Each structure stands twice: as structure tokens, then as C-alpha cells.
């Protein structure tokens, strides 16, 4: 079955450590996105990528980094520079960054990151 | 600056009654609107959408209404069922230069049996 897989589901990080969240899709979608969800704040865009080897910052990119070496994969690294990383992280994809009006997003099941 | 707003963080409705979830937006260039449903610890799933050329779209128990002049849309669920209890996000697309969805803050719907 086609879909988006995020791993791990739960992740604990010590302060000062970098961690990488995985996102893989087999939907043959061109565009991929990372969102962060905090209580009462909805979904905020961190980074997005419309094609391989290209990505753009979203509204809250500081303290995060991404790569898009393969169409299927869009990993997110939460660096030690992110001051408040504890949150629920959602990866999404769409057929095309230009055509989201027609199809919207398909979301993964999310990763809950907790800093301990 | 929040371009899509859901001003009611929560809503409780009796089973069998109508649930009405509201959403307002500020960018008149948005041309497509979507509703997503989210259960705890899961990703949102697409529920229903509407293009700006329409004012109503219906899919089973779910109907979305769009009032472009008021920059307002609403999701009606009739009849409401306990399984509808979830957080509902409104999203908008089509802003020039933006190839992503803009989400509201969500409304938690609780359907009481």
C-alpha cells in the first residue's frame, strides 16, 4: 500500500544533541513538507521541498535542517540550536507543489519528540 | 500572521445532532479550501474540500460551505457520531508564490453519546 512512513513514533533527545526524524513516501509525490504541531497553535511549516535536491524554508525553519537527495525521502534534523524542540512533527507529501489545490496533502502518522 | 483562523478551540455536540465547525481566512487569493480530521498521535487525514468557484460541497454526512465575500467557510456534520470526535483543521491553498497549505489552529470536536 502507498503511504508515508515516519519513524520513530516517539523520540527522546538530550539537550544539546541533534536528532534526525525520518520520512519516507512511496506515493511518487514530488513535493514533501515538514510541519510542527504545538498545543493551540495548529500546524506550522518548517521546511518544504518541491523537487529533489531543492528545498525552501517555511515559517519556523530556525534550528532545523533538511535534505532531499531522493524523491522518496525527506529527513528532518532537529539541531541543538532549536530552543524548544519538544513537539509533534508531521511529514506530508503532495503530487506536486504546484497542484496541491487539487489533491491536498497526505500525512504521515507523526513523530513525538521530547527533550529530556 | 495567521491567515487561516479557527476561533473555536473546542465544540461539544450531542450524538445525532449537527456539528458546525467554522473557519475564517484573510487572504482573498486563496482559491481552494480543505478540511482535515486528526486523531491523537496520528497524522491528519483529508476529509473534504471545496474550490472557490463553488459555495457548497457535500460528501455523505459532511458538507462544506464557502462564503467568499465574508472569507468564511464552515463544515457541517449531520448526524454527528461519537467516532467523529477528533480535531478538525481547516486549510487553504492558492496564495500566489506559496506552494503549501496554510492551516488553522484546529477545533476539537467531542460528540457525546
Amino acid at each position: 500500500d502507498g503511504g508515508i512512513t515516519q519513524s520513530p513514533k516517539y523520540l527522546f533527545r538530550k539537550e544539546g544533541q541533534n536528532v534526525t526524524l525520518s520520512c519516507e513516501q512511496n506515493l511518487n509525490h514530488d513535493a514533501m513538507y515538514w510541519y510542527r504541531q504545538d498545543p493551540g497553535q495548529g500546524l506550522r511549516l518548517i521546511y518544504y521541498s518541491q523537487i529533489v535536491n531543492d528545498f525552501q524554508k517555511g515559517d519556523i525553519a530556525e534550528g532545523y535542517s533538511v535534505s532531499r537527495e531522493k524523491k522518496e525521502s525527506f529527513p528532518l534534523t532537529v539541531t541543538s540550536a532549536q530552543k524548544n524542540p519538544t513537539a509533534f512533527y508531521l511529514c506530508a507529501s503532495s503530487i506536486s507543489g504546484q497542484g496541491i489545490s487539487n489533491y491536498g496533502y497526505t500525512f504521515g502518522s507523526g513523530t513525538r519528540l521530547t527533550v529530556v | 500572521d495567521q491567515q487561516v483562523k479557527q476561533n473555536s478551540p473546542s465544540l461539544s455536540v450531542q450524538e445525532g445532532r449537527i456539528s458546525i465547525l467554522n473557519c475564517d481566512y484573510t487572504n482573498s487569493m486563496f482559491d481552494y479550501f480543505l478540511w482535515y480530521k486528526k486523531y491523537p498521535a496520528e497524522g491528519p487525514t483529508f476529509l473534504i474540500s471545496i474550490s472557490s468557484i463553488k459555495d457548497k460541497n457535500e460528501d455523505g454526512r459532511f458538507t462544506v460551505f464557502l462564503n467568499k465575500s465574508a472569507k468564511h467557510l464552515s463544515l457541517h456534520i449531520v448526524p454527528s457520531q461519537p467516532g467523529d470526535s477528533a480535531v478538525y483543521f481547516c486549510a487553504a491553498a492558492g496564495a500566489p508564490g506559496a506552494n503549501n497549505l496554510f492551516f488553522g489552529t484546529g477545533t476539537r470536536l467531542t460528540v457525546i453519546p
Side-chain angles (χ1 to χ4, degrees), chain B residues 14-54:
Chain B
Q14 206 71 29
E15 180 178 4
R17 306 294 289 268
I18 184 171
S19 296
I20 300 177
L21 293 89
N22 294 304
C23 178
D24 297 293
Y25 61 96
T26 57
N27 191 335
S28 59
M29 300 303 290
F30 287 140
D31 62 4
Y32 205 79
F33 303 89
L34 307 93
W35 284 93
Y36 283 84
K37 177 180 179 179
K38 182 182 180 303
Y39 293 115
E42 294 184 9
T45 54
F46 171 75
L47 190 58
I48 192 170
S49 62
I50 188 168
S51 165
S52 61
I53 63 174
K54 296 185 175 181

Side-chain angles (χ1 to χ4, degrees), chain A:
Chain A
D1 288 337
I4 298 182
T5 301
Q6 287 188 244
S7 61
K9 194 170 182 69
Y10 299 96
L11 185 59
F12 296 88
R13 188 196 92 173
K14 292 183 180 179
E15 285 194 29
Q17 285 183 337
N18 293 354
V19 288
T20 298
L21 283 60
S22 171
C23 179
E24 303 277 334
Q25 54 100 357
N26 60 4
L27 299 166
N28 200 33
H29 284 177
D30 291 314
M32 297 186 74
Y33 312 82
W34 274 105
Y35 282 86
R36 168 178 171 148
Q37 185 190 11
D38 295 281
Q41 295 201 45
L43 305 179
R44 293 185 291 167
L45 182 65
I46 304 172
Y47 268 99
Y48 67 100
S49 167
Q50 297 186 57
I51 56 172
V52 175
N53 292 322
D54 186 53
F55 48 82
Q56 287 79 40
K57 293 182 179 180
D59 299 323
I60 55 167
E62 185 176 352
Y64 299 97
S65 66
V66 293
S67 63
R68 187 86 187 277
E69 298 177 0
K70 300 186 301 181
K71 186 175 185 178
E72 301 80 15
S73 179
F74 191 41
L76 172 74
T77 297
V78 184
T79 75
S80 56
Q82 170 49 236
K83 298 306 179 187
N84 187 21
T86 295
F88 188 59
Y89 290 86
L90 285 162
C91 179
S93 70
S94 64
I95 290 178
S96 166
Q98 300 288 340
I100 56 173
S101 294
N102 294 324
Y103 301 102
Y105 289 174
T106 299
F107 280 92
S109 57
T111 293
R112 181 163 297 282
L113 172 64
T114 303
V115 173
V116 296

